[in-house]
């Protein structure tokens, strides 16, 4: 098993070192090896729309109406969501509302 990091652009793990860069064989994206080492040392910090750091168990409020893909459901602005959970990936916040379970982007939330 390779210890090369996954591609930051397409998230696939088919990468290899080439000189001072890592290269993704699938999408062709290149990034410096030194930057990948720094990213491993720093834990991912999730910030809300106002720049406040979010943590597991925080309560947040939606700052914008959000349409749910594949459904006619709309999460309304001002909806309070309790006990969030931080996850990796594009959508950094996992939460449960009256409408169901959702993965939300932190840019549409503010800490309550």
């Amino acid at each position: 098993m390779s210890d090369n990091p996954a591609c930051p652009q397409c998230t696939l793990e088919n990468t290899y070192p080439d000189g001072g860069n890592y290269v993704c064989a699938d999408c062709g994206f290149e990034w410096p090896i030194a930057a990948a080492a720094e990213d491993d040392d720093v834990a991912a910090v999730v910030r809300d729309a106002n720049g406040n750091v979010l943590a597991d168990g925080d309560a947040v409020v939606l700052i914008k109406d959000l349409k749910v893909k594949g459904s006619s459901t709309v999460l309304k602005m001002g909806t309070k969501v309790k006990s969030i959970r931080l996850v990796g990936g594009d959508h950094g916040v996992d939460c449960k509302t009256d409408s169901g379970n959702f993965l939300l982007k932190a840019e549409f939330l503010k800490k309550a």
Side-chain angles (χ1 to χ4, degrees):
M1 177 140 220
S2 175
D3 61 344
N4 295 334
C7 176
Q9 187 168 18
C10 68
T11 67
L12 297 175
E13 295 184 5
N14 192 13
T15 61
Y16 60 91
D18 184 28
N21 290 333
Y22 282 117
V23 179
C24 177
D26 295 309
C27 70
F29 184 71
E30 296 184 18
W31 70 100
I33 290 176
E38 291 173 10
D39 290 343
D40 292 341
D41 296 339
V42 178
V45 176
V46 178
R47 296 186 183 271
D48 69 357
N50 295 331
N52 298 321
V53 177
L54 296 175
D56 285 341
D58 283 346
V60 294
V61 176
L62 294 174
I63 61 166
K64 179 181 177 180
D65 286 350
L66 299 175
K67 294 180 184 177
V68 179
K69 279 190 177 180
S71 172
S72 62
T73 305
V74 176
L75 299 175
K76 295 289 185 178
M77 178 177 73
T79 302
K80 186 171 184 178
V81 180
K82 298 177 184 175
S83 189
I84 64 170
R85 189 171 63 99
L86 302 180
V87 294
D90 186 31
H91 294 75
V93 178
D94 184 19
C95 65
K96 185 183 288 188
T97 66
D98 295 337
S99 303
N101 297 333
F102 297 101
L103 289 171
L104 302 174
K105 291 187 177 184
E107 65 193 57
F108 301 119
L109 306 171
K110 72 175 182 178
K111 197 170 186 176

